[in-house]
Amino acid sequence: MTEPLRMGFIGLSSKGWASTHLFPPLLAPPLSSHFKLLAVSTTNPASAEASAAKYSTANTTVKAYHTPESIASDPNLDIIAVSVKTPNHLENATKVIEAGKDLFIEWPAGRGLKETKFLAELAKEKGIRSLVGLQARQNVAFRKVKKLVEEGEIGDILSTSMTSRIFGPHGSWGPTVFKGSEYLLKKADGATLLDIAGGHFFEAMTYILGPVNTISATAVVQHALSQVVNPDGTPTGEVIPVDSPSQVAVSGTLKSGAVIGLHWRAGLETPSNVKAATPLLWVIDGTKGSIRIESDHPFAAFVGMCEPTKLWVNGEEVAIEDDGKTNEGRAWEEYLKGEGAGDYPDLQHAVQIKSIIDAIWRSAEGETISPASPGTESEEHIYALTAATITVPDSEYPLAEE
């Protein structure tokens, strides 16, 4: 058996996304014999020490680092994972790549297309392998749908439509925001509704249906101000400005000629009957029938994280097998198969998805419509961005499927 990959992890604290979703699959067979955690790094020394202690074993002492430079320079590491807030992606990932280490980086892999392109070019220059946290292609239901489409089960694809809704009452991109998540409400920080929920969906859609050709978009900020709340939902007293859209609507075409219509909705109260909020409804229509994908999960808009709960093909429900694995775990397994053999997205692929998002922003920012007076302080102030159709250039977005 080959030696396990020696891993470092930037952003792996004793709690949070990395500790609940990204790292746990590596602790269980079969992945536990292929990865060995040797170092962690967080900006808080106490947090780093606590995480190192948590993941140390009788046979392995995990080192605690406090800067990306220090963990990246550890000669005993083969791969370093970066799971930090989006504004810090570029700095941390750059240090890892420059040190010649292979890289896992959480989506959206930097703020905007420019930062993602920089990382992709640097990774190519240094000759390192990369894995990006776009896990939608690992979804069992989506792989089944891809196979059905490729086998012609519903004929030639004519159109696809999707609507999804972010959970409430304190879901991201709405009138309230949890303390510590304020960066989600600043467009320049690169973690908007379009970047996160949209990016994961475009990964799924292009994986199944192929590349995007044209885009026309509307992005609306329906809450110019957001109240910061504590974990229990009580107000902190702080109110911050918002320029990150809470509603994004996209229409356009795929390279195949199929029409797309997509709508992401946030800033809404989730009713007690979650299904009534339509967390996710995705329909693919063909010349011979339709595929309908649904989920009642409150986090269903994040398709890279949640498996759909229902799948219908030509009106008949199709069972979704449960293999006991997570999308994150399946992605690590694909990475282990090696470059060119495993089915996983790298930084070059991330640039393709970011090119779609960039085209949407350029479309949406073509014209500003402001129903309320400039400088209005009310939370009800609404402004919308809408524009003409943008063609996604082939040079920026080659065929999405590897």
Side-chain angles (χ1 to χ4, degrees):
M1 188 181 75
T2 58
E3 290 294 315
L5 292 175
R6 301 169 300 174
M7 171 175 273
F9 215 122
I10 299 175
L12 179 61
S13 60
S14 56
K15 59 182 180 179
W17 173 255
S19 66
T20 58
H21 287 78
L22 295 179
F23 187 63
L26 303 181
L27 295 174
L31 291 171
S32 56
S33 62
H34 295 282
F35 291 89
K36 187 175 184 180
L37 183 68
L38 295 181
V40 297
S41 176
T42 67
T43 54
N44 184 323
S47 172
E49 295 292 344
S51 180
K54 175 180 178 180
Y55 295 109
S56 291
T57 67
N59 300 319
T60 304
T61 299
V62 177
K63 297 178 183 177
Y65 292 106
H66 313 131
T67 66
E69 295 90 348
S70 57
I71 191 171
S73 63
D74 188 327
N76 297 313
L77 299 178
D78 303 309
I79 180 173
I80 297 178
V82 173
S83 180
V84 295
K85 292 179 180 179
T86 307
N88 302 316
H89 280 191
L90 182 65
E91 177 191 5
N92 285 271
T94 298
K95 297 298 182 185
V96 173
I97 298 171
E98 287 180 337
K101 303 291 196 300
D102 290 341
L103 170 74
F104 167 88
I105 183 167
E106 186 53 272
W107 180 257
R111 294 171 295 187
L113 177 60
K114 183 177 180 180
E115 289 192 1
T116 308
K117 272 188 171 181
F118 174 84
L119 293 174
E121 290 167 1
L122 185 61
K124 185 176 181 180
E125 176 189 331
K126 295 294 184 180
I128 65 104
R129 290 180 63 196
S130 61
L131 170 63
V132 177
L134 283 169
Q135 295 97 354
R137 67 175 57 203
Q138 311 302 340
N139 190 301
V140 172
F142 294 158
R143 284 181 175 260
K144 180 184 287 289
V145 171
K146 178 179 174 66
K147 187 171 185 290
L148 291 169
V149 168
E150 291 177 343
E151 291 176 346
E153 184 69 23
I154 61 171
D156 296 332
I157 304 304
L158 300 175
S159 67
T160 188
S161 57
M162 184 280 304
T163 182
S164 65
R165 177 171 174 159
I166 305 299
F167 67 95
H170 305 302
S172 307
W173 310 294
T176 60
V177 61
F178 284 117
K179 188 172 180 62
S181 297
E182 295 91 336
Y183 72 101
L184 297 172
L185 304 182
K186 299 176 183 178
K187 180 176 178 291
D189 282 343
T192 68
L193 174 65
L194 174 59
D195 292 295
I196 306 299
H200 283 292
F201 181 79
F202 280 116
E203 164 69 357
M205 187 186 78
T206 57
Y207 181 66
I208 295 170
L209 301 177
V212 173
N213 185 34
T214 62
I215 286 291
S216 181
T218 299
V220 180
V221 178
Q222 294 180 320
H223 307 281
L225 299 173
S226 187
Q227 187 177 65
V228 181
V229 299
N230 293 307
D232 62 0
T234 58
T236 64
E238 183 182 6
V239 177
I240 61 174
V242 178
D243 69 352
S244 176
S246 55
Q247 299 273 337
V248 179
V250 175
S251 62
T253 59
L254 301 177
K255 292 285 188 184
S256 66
V259 174
I260 61 174
L262 317 170
H263 187 189
W264 292 270
R265 303 127 63 213
L268 304 166
E269 191 85 18
T270 300
S272 55
N273 177 6
V274 177
K275 183 178 177 61
T278 320
L280 176 69
L281 173 59
W282 182 11
V283 177
I284 303 171
D285 292 320
T287 54
K288 295 181 181 178
S290 298
I291 293 173
R292 180 185 177 97
I293 303 163
E294 282 191 18
S295 180
D296 300 339
H297 195 289
F299 293 93
F302 306 105
V303 297
M305 180 177 70
C306 295
E307 294 274 357
T309 52
K310 297 288 184 181
L311 172 62
W312 284 271
V313 179
N314 295 329
E316 295 186 6
E317 186 170 358
V318 176
I320 301 174
E321 300 87 358
D322 181 4
D323 60 4
K325 300 177 181 179
T326 65
N327 291 339
E328 294 81 12
R330 297 184 194 108
W332 289 119
E333 288 183 2
E334 292 296 325
Y335 178 81
L336 284 173
K337 294 178 182 179
E339 197 166 19
D343 187 7
Y344 63 91
D346 59 10
L347 279 167
Q348 306 301 322
H349 179 80
V351 170
Q352 297 170 14
I353 301 300
K354 277 294 190 69
S355 294
I356 303 174
I357 294 172
D358 182 70
I360 292 172
W361 284 127
R362 287 188 286 124
S363 173
E365 291 170 354
E367 180 182 357
T368 302
I369 305 169
S370 190
S373 301
T376 301
E377 296 297 325
S378 168
E379 276 194 17
E380 300 306 314
H381 173 64
I382 297 174
Y383 67 85
L385 304 170
T386 187
T389 299
I390 299 290
T391 299
V392 182
D394 286 331
S395 59
E396 286 187 313
Y397 183 58
L399 185 64
E401 185 178 342
E402 284 93 19

